[in-house]
Structures are given as C-alpha cells and as structure tokens.
Amino acid sequence: MATPAPEPARQVRPVRPVHPVDEVPPVHKLAAFGLQHVLAMYAGAVAVPLIVGSAMKLPPADMAYLITADLLVCGIATLIQCVGFWRFGVRLPIMQGCTFAAVSPMVLIGTGGGGLPAIYGSVIVAGLAIMLLAPVFGKLLRFFPPLVTGTVILIIGLSLLPVAGNWAAGGAGSADFGEPKNLALAAFVLAVVLGVQRFAPAFLSRIAVLIGIVVGLAVAVPLGFTDFGGVGDAHWLGVSTPFHFGAPTFEASAIASMLVVALVTMTETTGDFIAVGEMTGRRIEPRTLGDGLRADGLSTVLGGVFNTFPYTAYAQNVGLVGMTRVRSRWVVAAAGGILVLLGLLPKLGAVVAAIPAPVLGGAGLVMFGTVAASGLRTLAQVDFKGNDNLTVVAVSVAVGMLPVGVPTVYEKFPDWFQTVMNSGISAGCLTAITLNLLFNHLAAKARAGDRDGAATLDGAAGPDGAADPGIPAQAGSAAPEPDGLPGGRGEDAVEKTREESV
C-alpha cells in the first residue's frame, strides 16, 4: 500500500503590525477616550457662535440654533479629517472646531449690515479657496524643519495657557471671575488629573482628564457652581437645515476679509498637523498636509451651508493626544460621532454645557502645558551651537506672545493686519519661517557662493569642478573652531527632513 505524499507546508504570511494611529480600541475605550476629547474642546467650540450671536443681538432661539448647528458640523468635520475619503482628510487624531481667527471679521460683517447671509457667503468662498490652495500649501512643508515646527508647537501651547487661566478663574466676563473658590476648584481638578495619571492603572491614567472633569463636576454641583436648569428647556431633537437664515449673499469686502482668515487658519492648521504627526510617530508629508487642508476647506463650505462658521484643527486636543499617549485616530472619530449626537440632541448638549469653567480650567492647564512641552521636545533635536537658531526661536516666541500678553497692541492697524497678527500662532509661525529663511537658507547660500568664488581664484577646485578635499564641500558648513565645533550657522542641521532628524 503506497504511503500518501506529505502535504506541502503552508506558507504563513507575516502579519504587518498596525500603526498606533490606525488601531481600533474596544468600544468602551473608544467611548471613554472620545468623550474626553469632546469635553476638552466643547467650551471652545460653542464660544464662537455665542460671541458672534451675542454681538449681532440674536434672540435665544437663534443662538441655540447656531450652537447645535456648530456641534453637528464639528462632528462631521472631525469624521472627515480622521476617517477620510479620497483626497480629503489627514487621517490623524485631529479634532475640528470653529476658528477664533474668524470671530472679529464675522462680527464686523454681521453688524455692518450684511447679517448672517453675508457671513455665510464669505465662509463658503473661503472654504472653496482653501480647497484650491491646499496642494500649493502642501509643497511648503520643506519650510517647516524641526527649528520651525518646534517653535510653532511651543507657541501654540503658550497661546492656549491664558485660555485655561480664564477658565480656572471662572470664565472671562463672569461675575465671580477670580474668586478663590474658582481657583480652588480648578486646582482640585488639576490635582485629581495628576493623581490619576501617576497612580492609577494604565487605562484609567489615559482618561485622567475625563476622570478629573467628572470628579470636579461631582464636587461643583453641590457647592453651587452650576445648575442644570437649561437642560429642561432644551429640545430633545434638533436638525440644522441648509441656509436656515436665508440664502447667502456675496459681498466683496466680506469675502476679502474671510480670505485673509483662510490663510491664517491654514497656517495654524499646518502647525497642529505637524504637532500631532510628531506625537503619533506618523509625520506629515506634503500630500497628507494637502489632504488635511482640503478637508478643512470642505468643512468650511459645509459650515457656510449649514449655518455655522470656518473650521480648523483644535490645538487643545493636540495637547490631549500628547498627554494621554492615545494615538488612535478612531478615538477622535468616535468623538466626532458624539458631537454629531450632541448636534442632533440639544438636550445632551445642554448637559455638557453645564460643566463649570473652573473644572475645564484645571484640566486645561495640564493639556495646554503638554503642547508647549512637546514643542520643547522637538526643539531638542535642533543644534543651537555656533549658529543663530536661538535668535530664531527667541524672536518668534516674542512676536507670537505679543498679542497674547497685550491683546490691544495692534488695534490701530488695518483690519487685515489685525486678522493675521492678533493670532499669536500665525504671527509666530510666519516669523519663524521668515527668520529661518533669513539666517539658515539665504545666508548659507551666500557663504557657499563666496567659498566657490574663493576656491576658483585660488585654484582649489579640481579639473572636474569638485572642491579640494581641504575645503568644506557642504553648503552651510565651515571650518572647525578651536574646540572642534563647526563654526557655520548649522543650515544642514536645520534643513534636514524630520525623518533624518529623528
């Protein structure tokens, strides 16, 4: 009897490891982490429609409509950015919300006779412009070496700290602003967040902010910091319909001011994308930057159609990613789903809105400080010896902090200038890019030209045009100093791609 032939061994295909950005946590973790992101950005998200609506003296019903429409589109914009489709979406844990850079221009447009239709017309045009400019902006990524990105991330964190301070004191404009009880509640929440992060098990430490807010709210309610009276007045269901406040109108002056806002938000969003890319280990490339900005533009167009405002990445959630080390984009996508529910169920939104500002302030201090610390970590990659990189950082941070420390410093300037420079993030970013070009690109090229001319005159170049081995061949380098350190301005260290730097 013939023995059967042995079966051929099955080839086992190696399983590719899933990048942390693409991991899908269990449902209970998705819900907890997602809710944490919602609580971190909720106050900022509803602030823009509140400010614009109050300035235009809208009735309470219209104010409530603006808020629910904003939350709905916030959720849709976040889903587009995190999940993505075709060439839309950066596919990173990026939370989307209304940009504060557009508040002043929108108030001027709305109160100047144009009303909400003129605002929405300019917002739609700005969104289309962002989509058209996205590929061009993506090609500018080479002007964001670690020197620039670290500086911008540092400025983002420092710019947000006053926001957390205002929350901790009771919220800007509140009757009891700065009362010791407010600061005590914020300090208590901060202590809870730090305690959970230090001593709790791994899963609980990653939702330290959520636990801090829940514990703080549990303490705040019996002490009279808040009440849930507005929950009973809110409707159970609310759906935002296109052009609820009338067909959009397109006024040249309104469109011009909103186009300036579009450039500012693109600059800010680029900084946020790069920061999240550094934190998650999936660094931004020109194509992904263009995809992310294109999603911003689409979300802004949707904002103009569905009765809300321009959208951008929210830096406070960037800090939450760095603090919790939860890098999954599906967590933030779950947060987007929660925002959609809040936009469709106003009663749920009223519950979240009842969280007192000091509770958010205590959590915000550690989140926003984490963003600034991440900028310092990126700057640690940069060589500061024998070059002007320290000057680039110093001046950029100073320019970025100027409108934060002195909000009225540019009030005598034209509106377009205020739109750009009143945002410390965009002002600092533009300064860092300009100074990096001045000190590290243009100056290095000039030195390289001088060396080439000297080599030709002295006969140092070989027959094939190559420099003599004794002459530094790399642009931006120089002869060693007595202590062995390079004496040039370190263009090579600054111009390296982020992959090479790491």
Side-chain angles (χ1 to χ4, degrees), residues 43-397:
V46 301
V48 174
L50 282 174
I51 295 171
V52 175
S54 299
M56 297 180 63
K57 297 180 172 56
L58 296 179
D62 287 346
M63 294 279 286
Y65 196 96
L66 285 180
I67 292 172
T68 54
D70 175 38
L71 294 174
L72 175 64
V73 181
C74 274
I76 295 172
T78 300
L79 288 169
I80 294 173
Q81 200 65 270
C82 296
V83 179
F85 67 93
W86 190 52
R87 296 296 302 278
F88 291 85
V90 72
R91 294 170 175 84
L92 284 173
I94 293 289
M95 201 82 182
Q96 296 286 106
C98 284
T99 175
F100 283 87
V103 169
S104 296
M106 289 192 301
V107 169
L108 291 174
I109 296 169
T111 57
L116 287 173
I119 293 177
Y120 294 140
S122 63
V123 168
I124 291 172
V125 174
L128 294 173
I130 292 173
M131 285 194 284
L132 293 174
L133 291 174
V136 179
F137 229 80
K139 295 177 181 178
L140 301 179
L141 194 61
R142 64 192 182 94
F143 296 112
F144 288 85
L147 174 64
V148 174
T149 59
T151 303
V152 172
I153 296 169
L154 175 61
I155 292 172
I156 290 172
L158 295 177
S159 299
L160 289 171
L161 285 174
V163 176
N166 280 325
W167 287 348
S174 62
D176 60 348
F177 185 84
E179 289 285 343
K181 64 176 184 178
N182 292 334
L183 296 172
L185 179 58
F188 170 74
V189 172
L190 176 60
V192 171
V193 172
L194 296 177
V196 171
Q197 192 171 9
R198 172 63 181 84
F199 299 107
F203 170 67
L204 293 180
S205 68
R206 292 183 173 181
I207 56 170
V209 171
L210 176 60
I211 293 174
I213 291 175
V214 171
V215 173
L217 183 61
V219 172
V221 171
L223 294 178
F225 278 89
T226 187
D227 66 83
F228 293 94
V231 177
D233 298 332
H235 296 290
W236 278 106
L237 182 65
V239 179
S240 179
T241 55
F243 308 126
H244 174 79
F245 295 99
T249 59
F250 301 93
E251 300 179 3
S253 59
I255 291 172
S257 62
M258 204 57 66
L259 289 176
V260 175
V261 171
L263 293 175
V264 173
T265 57
M266 292 176 79
T267 305
E268 293 181 352
T269 300
T270 299
D272 291 330
F273 285 170
I274 292 173
V276 173
E278 296 284 349
M279 292 175 180
T280 59
R282 178 174 283 178
R283 288 174 176 78
I284 294 294
E285 301 295 336
R287 175 173 174 139
T288 54
L289 174 59
D291 292 348
L293 293 175
R294 195 177 288 109
D296 258 15
L298 176 60
S299 301
T300 298
V301 172
L302 291 176
V305 172
F306 286 95
N307 318 295
T308 180
F309 309 114
Y311 284 85
T312 187
Y314 258 30
Q316 47 262 58
N317 295 87
V318 174
L320 190 57
V321 171
M323 176 190 161
T324 62
R325 297 184 293 280
V326 177
R327 297 178 280 179
S328 172
R329 60 190 172 106
W330 298 103
V331 164
V332 181
I338 294 173
L339 284 174
V340 171
L341 287 177
L342 293 177
L344 296 175
L345 303 174
K347 198 171 284 292
L348 287 180
V351 173
V352 178
I355 298 174
V359 172
L360 296 174
L365 286 172
V366 64
M367 287 191 304
F368 303 162
T370 301
V371 179
S374 299
L376 294 177
R377 182 177 61 186
T378 302
L379 286 173
Q381 305 171 15
V382 179
D383 180 17
F384 288 98
K385 296 179 181 179
N387 53 48
D388 296 300
N389 290 340
L390 196 64
T391 301
V392 174
V393 177
V395 176
S396 301
V397 172

